[in-house]
Amino acid sequence: MDDFLIFDRVTKSFGEARAVNEVSLSISQGEVFSLLGPSGCGKTTLLRMAAGFESPDSGRILLKGKDITVLPPEKRPVNTVFQNYALFPHLSVFENIAFGLRVAKRNKAEVTREVEAMLSLTQLTDHAQKRPSQLSGGQKQRVAIARALVNKPEVLLLDEPLAALDLKLRQHMLAELRRLHEEVGITFIYVTHDQGEAMSLSNRIAVMNQGRIIQLGGPVELYEKPQNRFVASFIGDANLLTGNVIEVISDELSKVQVAGLGELLAVSHEPLSVGQAVELSIRPERISMGETAEASTNRVEALVDDMTYLGSSLRCTLIAGAHRLSADLPPQFAASLSKGDKVHLMFSASHTLALPSSLS
Ligand code: ATP
């Protein structure tokens, strides 16, 4: 960690509402860092404080060791790409990108050279003379990114930049953003409520809820080792079952009683105690069907309630005791399963994660 950009106990309220609550965070140079969370969790407010559009009520923001907490936006080596692009409708693509350089009174030859480099980087050379209204959504988004990058910021802030685009274009633009990041190598801070975007783009992700960071980690860590119910259900899909520890087998392995389902073996990242309330998290793709004699595999009887063929998998909804479970099975099960079938589900103890209820 090189402490390139630091948020130190940053707090911001609007009236009674605490939008950002004592957030501390250190972002490395060149990192793609995402702020991920549901609507209203405070991620845009945090981003706006990095940009200088809002100032914290308390706490500090440091960039390369320098306190920038109250520095005005135009004095920060930081540029923002907004969700609605905020392009000038009456200016050409070229002039939109040139705008910041012209304000900075850069000479004509420099402006031309740098705008042309940006047009090439964002693959917009053929569209330089068009107005924004003549561009597709993805092209407009690329102009917005080029316009921010031309100022050579040290940090690029991206506020839900792909939210207005359809799914195919979003996937394409995500690949574009990864390529751009590789080429320019500067720090990206990316705000999104879409876990797929955050997972596919980021080195690290801060999952936020109600103004706080709930968990911070790489995509694999957040998916495989969520620390609580909120993260388990926000990052990917999870079957969540409430239960009580009835036996501690080792520091990592416990037996948990789940009402209406029976006893299940589960792993945990911290030692549990007998009687403790836990949430069990089981990913749908970790559930399979059939019989096994493996002692460390949980077995549950269930009835097929619903099936959705997704091409690469079959999403099944199953009734097990008082619980509804989702399982992602190989697609060929579509031919042999029917609603109402009685099946045996299996999921290993190592994929049954016990999360202390107090943290959920
Ligand atoms: P979204 O994904 O919906 O944009 P967000 O996680 O980015 O949400 P913020 O925009 O940071 O959330 O808002 C956090 C909280 O602060 C919300 O409750 C919001 O209503 C409130 N808030 C944000 N900006 C203002 C403002 N200028 N005036 C009053 N309240 C605000």
Side-chain angles (χ1 to χ4, degrees), residues 10-22 45 49 54-58:
V10 169
T11 294
K12 177 75 184 176
S13 300
F14 297 103
E16 291 293 290
R18 256 197 186 186
V20 172
N21 196 351
E22 293 258 337
T45 304
M49 289 193 281
E54 303 281 0
S55 33
D57 301 331
S58 60

Coordinates of all heavy atoms in Angstrom, one line a residue, residues 10-22 45 49 54-58:
V10 N -13.3 10.5 7.4 CA -14.1 11.5 6.7 C -15.5 11.3 7.0 O -16.1 10.2 6.8 CB -13.8 11.4 5.2 CG1 -14.8 12.3 4.4 CG2 -12.3 11.8 4.9
T11 N -16.2 12.4 7.4 CA -17.6 12.4 7.7 C -18.3 13.5 6.9 O -17.8 14.6 6.8 CB -17.8 12.5 9.2 OG1 -17.3 11.4 9.8 CG2 -19.3 12.7 9.6
K12 N -19.5 13.2 6.4 CA -20.3 14.3 5.8 C -21.8 14.0 6.0 O -22.3 13.0 5.8 CB -20.0 14.3 4.2 CG -20.9 15.3 3.5 CD -20.3 16.7 3.6 CE -21.2 17.7 2.9 NZ -20.7 19.1 3.2
S13 N -22.5 15.1 6.6 CA -23.9 15.0 6.8 C -24.6 16.0 5.9 O -24.1 17.0 5.6 CB -24.2 15.2 8.2 OG -23.6 14.3 9.1
F14 N -25.9 15.6 5.5 CA -26.8 16.6 4.9 C -28.0 16.7 5.9 O -28.7 15.7 6.0 CB -27.2 16.1 3.5 CG -26.1 16.0 2.5 CD1 -25.5 14.8 2.2 CD2 -25.6 17.1 2.0 CE1 -24.5 14.7 1.3 CE2 -24.5 17.0 1.0 CZ -24.0 15.8 0.7
G15 N -28.1 17.8 6.6 CA -29.1 17.8 7.6 C -28.9 16.8 8.6 O -27.8 16.6 9.2
E16 N -29.9 16.0 8.9 CA -29.8 14.9 9.9 C -29.1 13.7 9.4 O -28.6 12.9 10.1 CB -31.2 14.5 10.3 CG -32.0 15.5 11.1 CD -31.3 15.8 12.5 OE1 -31.4 14.9 13.3 OE2 -30.8 16.9 12.7
A17 N -29.1 13.6 8.0 CA -28.6 12.3 7.4 C -27.1 12.3 7.3 O -26.5 13.2 6.7 CB -29.3 12.1 6.0
R18 N -26.5 11.2 7.8 CA -25.0 11.1 7.7 C -24.8 10.3 6.4 O -25.0 9.1 6.3 CB -24.5 10.3 8.8 CG -23.8 11.2 9.8 CD -22.9 10.5 10.7 NE -22.5 11.6 11.6 CZ -21.6 11.5 12.5 NH1 -21.0 10.4 12.8 NH2 -21.3 12.5 13.3
A19 N -24.4 11.0 5.4 CA -24.1 10.4 4.1 C -22.9 9.6 4.1 O -22.8 8.5 3.5 CB -24.1 11.4 3.0
V20 N -21.8 10.1 4.7 CA -20.5 9.4 4.9 C -20.1 9.5 6.3 O -20.1 10.5 6.9 CB -19.5 10.0 4.0 CG1 -18.1 9.4 4.2 CG2 -19.8 9.8 2.5
N21 N -19.8 8.3 6.9 CA -19.7 8.2 8.4 C -18.3 7.7 8.7 O -18.1 6.5 8.7 CB -20.8 7.3 8.9 CG -21.0 7.5 10.4 OD1 -20.2 8.1 11.1 ND2 -22.0 6.9 10.9
E22 N -17.4 8.6 9.1 CA -16.0 8.2 9.6 C -15.4 7.2 8.6 O -14.9 6.1 9.1 CB -16.2 7.5 11.0 CG -16.6 8.5 12.0 CD -15.4 8.9 12.9 OE1 -14.4 8.2 13.0 OE2 -15.5 10.0 13.5
T45 N -21.2 10.7 -2.6 CA -20.7 11.8 -1.7 C -19.2 11.7 -1.4 O -18.5 12.7 -1.5 CB -21.5 11.8 -0.4 OG1 -22.9 11.9 -0.7 CG2 -21.1 12.9 0.5
M49 N -16.3 14.3 -2.6 CA -15.3 14.9 -1.7 C -13.9 14.8 -2.2 O -13.1 15.7 -2.0 CB -15.5 14.3 -0.3 CG -16.8 14.8 0.4 SD -16.8 14.5 2.1 CE -17.3 12.7 2.1
E54 N -17.7 18.6 -2.8 CA -18.2 18.7 -1.4 C -17.1 18.7 -0.5 O -16.0 18.2 -0.8 CB -19.1 17.4 -1.0 CG -20.2 17.1 -1.9 CD -21.4 17.9 -1.6 OE1 -21.4 18.8 -0.7 OE2 -22.4 17.7 -2.4
S55 N -17.2 19.4 0.7 CA -16.2 19.3 1.7 C -16.6 18.6 2.9 O -17.8 18.7 3.3 CB -15.6 20.7 2.0 OG -16.6 21.6 2.0
P56 N -15.8 17.8 3.5 CA -16.2 17.0 4.7 C -16.5 17.9 5.9 O -16.0 19.0 6.0 CB -14.9 16.1 5.0 CG -14.0 16.3 3.9 CD -14.4 17.5 3.1
D57 N -17.4 17.4 6.7 CA -17.6 18.1 8.0 C -16.5 17.8 8.9 O -16.1 18.7 9.7 CB -18.9 17.5 8.7 CG -20.1 17.7 7.8 OD1 -20.1 18.6 7.0 OD2 -21.0 16.8 7.9
S58 N -15.9 16.6 8.9 CA -14.7 16.4 9.7 C -13.9 15.3 8.9 O -14.4 14.7 8.0 CB -15.0 15.9 11.1 OG -15.8 14.7 11.0

